[in-house]
Amino acid sequence: MLPPKSEFSEWYHEVIQQAEIMDIRYPVKGLYVWLPFGFKLRQLVYSKLKELLDRDHQEVYFPTLIPEELLMKESEHIRGFEDEVYWVTHGGLEPLDVKLALRPTSETAIYPMFKLWIRSHADLPLKVYQIVNVFRYETKHTRPLIRLREVTSFKEAHTAHRNYEEAEEQVKNAVNLYKEFYDSLAIPYMIFKRPDWDKFPGADYTIAFDTVMPDGRTLQIGTVHHLADNFAKTFDIKYETPDGDHAYVHQTCYGISERCIASLISIHGDDLGLVLPFEVAPIQIVIIPILYKGKERDVMELSKRLYERLKPFRVILDESDERPGAKYYKWELKGVPIRFEIGPREAENNEVVVSFRDEKRKFSVDFDHVTPEKVFEWGRNLKERLKRRAIESVRGRILICRDIDEVADAVERRFVSLTYSCNECEKDLESYGSVLGEMFERPEWIDVRLSDRCVMCGGKGYLVGVSKTY
Amino acid sequence: MLPPKSEFSEWYHEVIQQAEIMDIRYPVKGLYVWLPFGFKLRQLVYSKLKELLDRDHQEVYFPTLIPEELLMKESEHIRGFEDEVYWVTHGGLEPLDVKLALRPTSETAIYPMFKLWIRSHADLPLKVYQIVNVFRYETKHTRPLIRLREVTSFKEAHTAHRNYEEAEEQVKNAVNLYKEFYDSLAIPYMIFKRPDWDKFPGADYTIAFDTVMPDGRTLQIGTVHHLADNFAKTFDIKYETPDGDHAYVHQTCYGISERCIASLISIHGDDLGLVLPFEVAPIQIVIIPILYKGKERDVMELSKRLYERLKPFRVILDESDERPGAKYYKWELKGVPIRFEIGPREAENNEVVVSFRDEKRKFSVDFDHVTPEKVFEWGRNLKERLKRRAIESVRGRILICRDIDEVADAVERRFVSLTYSCNECEKDLESYGSVLGEMFERPEWIDVRLSDRCVMCGGKGYLVGVSKTY
């Protein structure tokens, strides 16, 4: 049995294991094992992400090991990472001549090659991505999919452009791509421009996607960085302009980790376990025959006919010996979106009982009406319901705050506080919680009716978020 | 321009770069960058491998980092790897309490979890696989895809069974699976049982797939290990038998690395570059319009109609400004299996000129006859031709040797020597070359008419291979 989702931390810890996403018993802190079911979910979610990127990015793979000299080259960058880098110092029984870092992220591995690849303006824009494992020596509390020492599924994209403006255009493209990705998972998000002190080390600025977890803490689920020509200068990445001059490229990079799966599990799940959108569910449909002595044949026959018809989907016909109740429990835990039950009455009437993972009700439909088109329609409707419910629940953890006491109180009670601040005062808000930064784009489901005056000094302000974060 | 393939080592070095498989300029020995075209080839080849494994294995992902104590637990295993393991000793600026190994292979990461997963005979057989990066501190000469410090694409499968015999059955299943895989790539192989001194560290025995590279050296492209209960005893992996007793499981593991792609490139390639089987070619078809002034419109129209019709394939319509000859050169280098040329005469006659990457001839076909079915048929025929040619070329590097002088001479001249040896004398053959072991299964294309007497002592022998190896 799962703890209720209202005890979110315990629920999360248990659902990861009981739904067979990961085995958390690997004997090193912050490292976990992807179980087959979890791995399949990962694959389906990342297929969606790849599909979006493949429209105009090329997939590559760079080495995991980065020599010390390269990693250290960009001074701001390394200052941001030096406490978290794992160092390989020995090969076999011998010390290495050159220390090698396990990539915490791949800018310093990729950009020396960009220098070799980019010659002229015709080589631009250059857009590549890779999905790789990256490593962080986390000293804080670790948690599966959320805070890891090996991030096994880091999708990082890297682009190079002719100038600041074209790179900025790409920042917008990347933001739109991530919006499309999270919309496809029915995950609500807010988009902020991070304050300067919290931007990616080496970036000009950072745009971040945050969602709100059921306990009211925000989870950063994607970041897009405008790098300007900061790395280009460090790694000497120049191109020949149409006029024959030489100029530094301007770059962007943007990443999503398996936190996208943490959010999927956390936002949609309920007291019974996972609730998954149809498109990414490892098992989309389960058919459960309800057998009574003497009536088995007809029930099994109709069940098998349904199974055959739905084979284009990821469908299971659960013929095991368990009681129906135990089967419901098991497949609910795994978030199977659509369940069919077929008993003697259904067999007799040529119908099936349908229920959806997110609803309590069951209903009967004529067997012949269960077509693949109908199933797709049910899948789409389910996602729409999940999206509405998710927005409802996220919105319920956000408070619009008119003064600083409200901000303090909101964050204290684990709500996300939206309020107005200004460049001068933003930093002071850090004493109340983490400042998420200036809202980059207001989601339509957030309605803010406030004066735009900074909550601290009363000067002209902009909308910012303050929260406890993961 | 490529060096001729007869200068194999130089040819290989160049074709990897010019065909854009990898960039070899990454500034650490033995680490390379997968370029987009190479990465796509990798993905297509590994999709095939995954498809075969997914029939009855489950995909998982285990951590990259293995604590020292686990890696050291199986004494033979660690003796086999201790010179090649990369050690992570520092996290940030601090030394780690426990040294972490970068997995050289994952037995010691996976089997402690098998101990937790396996309770009863009902949990067996257990079959999992993962495709991961593994690391070896290679001190020898490194080479892209062949001898690496980061093997980026190691497919390793691990299984557990009730007893020795059932594990042995799985060894045969794995051998058949690898045969099917390499047959699908038209790569000829020989299968040997490795001599005891060359088996996988910790295994009961090792079955290996070897192909013969154009320079006459053998390349090990897959291994299957019977582990008996060796690791089960070390990691205490027991199950409850139907009788209620407890017994150790018996295990197998088997692996294929990106050497499968090295063999694909090396065996099929020619003086012009890559030659790829249709199924795994990143670009399967190229359409080249031959434009003459005033006739552009009709040519482009027919070219586009062909492109639209062939869109289910990975097809390119090369509309660039280059001369046709330059286009031929470029797509030949990349191994595109099928090329269509359409000029004014073709446009007028409603036909297209077809040529295949492995043949010199061109021929015309009626436009309407170029259907997807026809293209599949051409693809199948091309693979059959590649297979025949590959067998021919591999067979040309194998000599059947009747006495020890012939063995010495054959290996000296970079041929694979097949001869008879016995348990007593096999080790002595090592002074002539690497002993590949007893032939496990004789390919139909090798005909050996020899007495089965050991070439050294004249006693009862078995067929063995001796060669220079990669």
Side-chain angles (χ1 to χ4, degrees):
Chain A
M1 283 291 287
L2 285 176
K5 199 180 169 194
S6 53
E7 294 164 25
F8 175 67
S9 182
E10 295 74 18
W11 178 89
Y12 183 79
H13 184 79
E14 283 298 320
V15 81
I16 290 281
Q17 298 173 79
Q18 293 187 26
E20 298 181 323
I21 304 291
M22 308 200 102
D23 196 316
I24 64 166
R25 293 172 292 177
Y26 191 78
V28 181
K29 174 183 153 83
L31 302 181
Y32 308 96
V33 176
W34 282 99
L35 294 169
F37 183 80
F39 196 81
K40 186 78 190 160
L41 175 61
R42 170 190 182 275
Q43 186 190 309
L44 290 161
V45 170
Y46 278 77
S47 292
K48 183 69 198 171
L49 189 54
K50 278 168 66 76
E51 180 194 316
L52 297 175
L53 284 156
D54 284 338
R55 288 179 191 160
D56 66 346
H57 298 66
Q58 294 193 292
E59 192 169 1
V60 293
Y61 183 96
F62 278 75
T64 307
L65 300 170
I66 304 176
E68 183 175 21
E69 196 206 352
L70 282 186
L71 189 75
M72 295 298 192
K73 212 160 177 173
E74 218 295 325
S75 58
E76 276 194 42
H77 187 69
I78 186 58
R79 268 203 303 282
F81 283 106
E82 68 183 351
D83 288 340
E84 341 192 299
V85 172
Y86 276 112
W87 289 103
V88 181
T89 59
H90 287 70
L93 307 171
E94 303 295 323
L96 298 176
D97 294 341
V98 175
K99 283 204 305 184
L100 300 169
L102 287 183
R103 60 180 161 217
T105 171
S106 302
E107 285 73 16
T108 57
I110 294 178
Y111 300 164
M113 305 308 288
F114 271 20
K115 173 183 164 60
L116 301 172
W117 294 352
I118 294 168
R119 289 271 157 271
S120 101
H121 61 94
D123 299 323
L124 302 174
L126 175 65
K127 304 184 192 180
V128 301
Y129 78 95
Q130 60 179 7
I131 299 175
V132 296
N133 50 352
V134 297
F135 301 83
R136 309 270 168 100
Y137 179 62
E138 286 288 354
T139 49
K140 296 191 211 164
H141 183 65
T142 54
R143 213 185 285 265
L145 305 173
I146 292 180
R147 189 171 293 281
L148 304 159
R149 289 189 166 178
E150 177 180 5
V151 177
T152 63
S153 326
F154 186 51
K155 188 288 299 165
E156 49 177 328
H158 298 268
T159 71
H161 307 269
R162 292 198 278 191
N163 52 44
Y164 190 91
E165 292 70 31
E166 290 186 16
E168 185 139 274
E169 204 48 48
Q170 185 61 26
V171 166
K172 288 180 198 151
N173 292 341
V175 166
N176 285 332
L177 193 147
Y178 284 2
K179 283 167 68 175
E180 192 172 347
F181 174 64
Y182 280 111
D183 287 343
S184 81
L185 299 176
I187 302 286
Y189 45 80
M190 292 180 287
I191 310 175
F192 293 98
K193 183 174 177 185
R194 286 279 184 261
D196 249 20
W197 67 83
D198 197 24
K199 68 187 183 187
F200 180 70
D204 189 51
Y205 64 82
T206 288
I207 307 292
F209 281 62
D210 294 296
T211 193
V212 187
M213 297 287 258
D215 61 358
R217 290 160 76 186
T218 52
L219 182 71
Q220 174 178 300
I221 51 175
T223 47
V224 181
H225 314 294
H226 194 312
L227 303 180
D229 55 3
N230 300 344
F231 283 87
K233 283 179 174 157
T234 304
F235 290 97
D236 192 36
I237 315 174
K238 286 184 194 157
Y239 70 99
E240 191 175 336
T241 66
D243 306 335
D245 291 337
H246 287 84
Y248 287 113
V249 299
H250 282 68
Q251 294 176 267
T252 80
C253 63
Y254 33 102
I256 282 183
S257 76
E258 55 238 58
R259 281 185 166 196
C260 60
I261 295 172
S263 68
L264 188 68
I265 292 169
S266 305
I267 301 278
H268 298 315
D270 65 18
D271 288 354
L272 302 175
L274 303 180
V275 179
L276 296 173
F278 189 73
E279 195 179 350
V280 295
I283 303 165
Q284 297 175 300
I285 300 166
V286 60
I287 302 166
I288 300 181
I290 315 285
L291 299 173
Y292 290 92
K293 270 224 152 48
K295 312 261 175 126
E296 291 94 340
R297 214 193 47 149
D298 292 351
V299 167
M300 281 314 300
E301 193 184 293
L302 194 65
S303 299
K304 281 181 181 160
R305 276 177 57 206
L306 185 62
Y307 177 74
E308 287 302 319
R309 188 188 293 171
L310 299 181
K311 260 198 175 161
F313 300 101
R314 296 182 290 277
V315 57
I316 281 189
L317 170 58
D318 187 348
E319 299 185 74
S320 67
D321 288 336
E322 288 167 297
R323 288 171 304 101
K327 293 182 183 181
Y328 299 163
Y329 176 81
K330 172 177 169 182
W331 301 118
E332 279 166 352
L333 182 58
K334 287 230 160 80
V336 178
I338 300 176
R339 182 175 81 204
F340 294 104
E341 296 156 42
I342 297 178
R345 196 168 62 171
E346 282 71 45
E348 194 170 323
N349 298 341
N350 199 46
E351 58 183 29
V352 297
V353 171
V354 190
S355 58
F356 304 122
R357 176 61 182 84
D358 64 318
E359 291 186 330
K360 294 265 174 289
R361 73 196 179 94
K362 296 181 179 191
F363 60 97
S364 292
V365 289
D366 193 286
F367 180 83
D368 299 324
H369 291 175
V370 186
T371 58
E373 294 70 34
K374 193 72 197 165
V375 168
F376 276 123
E377 185 192 320
W378 283 335
R380 279 194 305 275
N381 292 345
L382 178 109
K383 191 163 85 179
E384 285 311 308
R385 289 195 303 274
L386 292 189
K387 186 170 281 177
R388 281 199 300 274
R389 210 185 53 172
I391 287 173
E392 217 44 58
S393 113
V394 164
R395 189 158 47 191
R397 304 294 319 197
I398 296 173
L399 291 176
I400 315 292
C401 300
R402 281 161 304 178
D403 60 45
I404 193 68
D405 290 339
E406 285 188 6
V407 173
D409 180 61
V411 178
E412 173 71 27
R413 294 194 294 124
R414 291 286 183 282
F415 284 83
V416 179
S417 165
L418 291 184
T419 193
Y420 277 83
S421 183
C422 69
N423 259 322
E424 298 295 304
C425 302
E426 202 179 356
K427 182 84 196 178
D428 296 332
L429 283 174
E430 282 272 298
S431 58
Y432 301 97
S434 293
V435 177
L436 304 173
E438 178 178 356
M439 191 165 273
F440 183 73
E441 201 183 282
R442 189 192 302 177
E444 60 188 21
W445 47 268
I446 293 185
D447 189 17
V448 185
R449 295 157 197 258
L450 281 185
S451 86
D452 61 354
R453 293 286 129 191
C454 169
V455 79
M456 298 186 88
C457 72
K460 170 86 172 152
Y462 45 80
L463 193 61
V464 298
V466 186
S467 70
K468 293 285 180 191
T469 63
Y470 269 92
Chain B
M1 284 291 288
L2 284 176
K5 197 180 170 194
S6 52
E7 293 165 24
F8 176 68
S9 181
E10 294 74 16
W11 177 89
Y12 183 79
H13 184 79
E14 283 299 320
V15 82
I16 290 281
Q17 297 173 79
Q18 293 188 27
E20 300 182 320
I21 304 292
M22 308 200 103
D23 196 316
I24 65 168
R25 294 172 291 177
Y26 191 77
V28 181
K29 176 183 152 82
L31 302 182
Y32 309 96
V33 177
W34 283 98
L35 295 169
F37 183 80
F39 196 81
K40 186 78 188 161
L41 175 61
R42 170 191 184 273
Q43 186 191 311
L44 290 161
V45 170
Y46 278 78
S47 290
K48 182 69 198 174
L49 188 54
K50 278 168 66 78
E51 179 194 318
L52 297 174
L53 284 155
D54 284 339
R55 288 179 191 160
D56 67 344
H57 297 66
Q58 294 193 292
E59 191 168 3
V60 292
Y61 183 96
F62 279 76
T64 307
L65 299 169
I66 305 176
E68 182 173 22
E69 195 206 353
L70 283 186
L71 189 76
M72 295 298 193
K73 210 160 179 176
E74 219 294 323
S75 58
E76 276 192 42
H77 187 69
I78 186 58
R79 270 203 300 280
F81 285 104
E82 67 183 351
D83 289 341
E84 334 192 307
V85 173
Y86 276 113
W87 289 103
V88 180
T89 60
H90 287 69
L93 306 170
E94 302 296 322
L96 298 175
D97 293 340
V98 175
K99 283 204 304 185
L100 300 168
L102 287 183
R103 60 183 161 215
T105 170
S106 303
E107 286 73 16
T108 57
I110 295 178
Y111 300 165
M113 304 307 288
F114 271 21
K115 173 183 164 60
L116 301 173
W117 294 352
I118 296 168
R119 288 271 158 269
S120 100
H121 60 95
D123 298 323
L124 302 173
L126 175 65
K127 303 184 192 181
V128 301
Y129 79 95
Q130 60 179 8
I131 298 175
V132 295
N133 49 352
V134 298
F135 300 83
R136 309 271 167 101
Y137 179 62
E138 287 288 354
T139 48
K140 295 190 212 164
H141 183 66
T142 54
R143 214 184 283 268
L145 305 173
I146 291 180
R147 190 170 294 279
L148 303 158
R149 289 188 168 179
E150 177 179 6
V151 177
T152 63
S153 326
F154 186 51
K155 188 287 298 165
E156 50 178 326
H158 298 269
T159 72
H161 307 268
R162 290 198 282 191
N163 52 45
Y164 190 93
E165 292 69 31
E166 291 186 15
E168 185 139 273
E169 204 49 47
Q170 185 60 26
V171 166
K172 288 182 197 148
N173 292 342
V175 165
N176 286 332
L177 192 148
Y178 284 2
K179 285 167 66 173
E180 192 172 345
F181 174 63
Y182 280 111
D183 288 342
S184 81
L185 299 177
I187 301 287
Y189 46 79
M190 292 181 286
I191 310 175
F192 293 100
K193 183 176 175 184
R194 285 281 184 262
D196 248 21
W197 67 83
D198 197 24
K199 69 186 183 188
F200 179 71
D204 190 51
Y205 65 84
T206 288
I207 307 292
F209 281 62
D210 294 296
T211 194
V212 187
M213 296 287 258
D215 62 358
R217 290 160 76 186
T218 51
L219 181 72
Q220 175 177 300
I221 51 173
T223 47
V224 181
H225 314 293
H226 195 312
L227 303 179
D229 55 2
N230 299 345
F231 283 87
K233 283 177 173 156
T234 303
F235 289 97
D236 193 33
I237 314 174
K238 285 182 194 161
Y239 70 99
E240 191 175 337
T241 66
D243 306 337
D245 291 338
H246 287 84
Y248 288 114
V249 299
H250 282 68
Q251 292 175 268
T252 80
C253 62
Y254 32 103
I256 281 184
S257 76
E258 54 238 59
R259 282 186 165 195
C260 60
I261 294 171
S263 68
L264 188 68
I265 292 169
S266 305
I267 301 278
H268 298 315
D270 65 16
D271 288 355
L272 302 175
L274 302 180
V275 180
L276 295 174
F278 188 73
E279 197 179 348
V280 296
I283 302 164
Q284 298 176 301
I285 299 166
V286 61
I287 301 166
I288 300 182
I290 316 284
L291 299 174
Y292 290 93
K293 270 220 152 46
K295 312 255 177 136
E296 291 95 339
R297 215 194 48 149
D298 291 350
V299 167
M300 282 314 300
E301 191 183 295
L302 194 65
S303 299
K304 281 181 181 163
R305 276 176 58 207
L306 185 62
Y307 177 74
E308 287 301 321
R309 190 189 291 171
L310 299 180
K311 260 197 176 164
F313 300 100
R314 294 182 291 276
V315 57
I316 281 190
L317 170 58
D318 186 348
E319 300 184 72
S320 67
D321 288 336
E322 288 168 298
R323 287 172 304 101
K327 293 182 183 181
Y328 300 162
Y329 175 82
K330 172 177 168 183
W331 300 117
E332 278 165 352
L333 182 59
K334 287 232 161 80
V336 178
I338 301 176
R339 182 175 82 204
F340 294 104
E341 297 156 42
I342 297 177
R345 195 168 63 172
E346 283 71 46
E348 195 171 321
N349 299 341
N350 200 46
E351 58 183 29
V352 296
V353 171
V354 190
S355 58
F356 304 122
R357 176 60 183 82
D358 64 318
E359 290 186 330
K360 294 264 175 287
R361 75 195 179 94
K362 295 181 179 191
F363 60 99
S364 292
V365 289
D366 192 284
F367 180 83
D368 300 324
H369 291 174
V370 185
T371 58
E373 295 68 37
K374 192 71 194 168
V375 168
F376 276 123
E377 186 192 319
W378 283 336
R380 280 194 303 276
N381 292 345
L382 177 110
K383 190 163 86 179
E384 285 311 309
R385 290 196 302 274
L386 292 190
K387 185 171 279 177
R388 282 199 300 276
R389 209 185 55 172
I391 287 173
E392 217 45 57
S393 114
V394 164
R395 189 157 48 194
R397 306 290 324 194
I398 296 173
L399 292 176
I400 316 292
C401 301
R402 280 160 307 178
D403 60 44
I404 193 70
D405 290 340
E406 285 188 4
V407 173
D409 182 61
V411 178
E412 173 71 26
R413 294 194 295 124
R414 292 287 184 281
F415 285 83
V416 180
S417 165
L418 291 184
T419 192
Y420 276 82
S421 183
C422 70
N423 257 323
E424 298 296 304
C425 302
E426 201 179 357
K427 182 86 198 178
D428 296 332
L429 284 175
E430 283 271 299
S431 57
Y432 302 95
S434 292
V435 176
L436 303 173
E438 177 177 357
M439 192 165 271
F440 183 72
E441 204 182 280
R442 189 191 303 177
E444 60 190 20
W445 47 268
I446 293 184
D447 188 17
V448 185
R449 293 155 198 261
L450 283 184
S451 87
D452 63 352
R453 293 287 129 188
C454 170
V455 80
M456 297 186 90
C457 72
K460 170 85 172 152
Y462 45 79
L463 193 62
V464 298
V466 187
S467 70
K468 294 283 181 195
T469 63
Y470 270 92

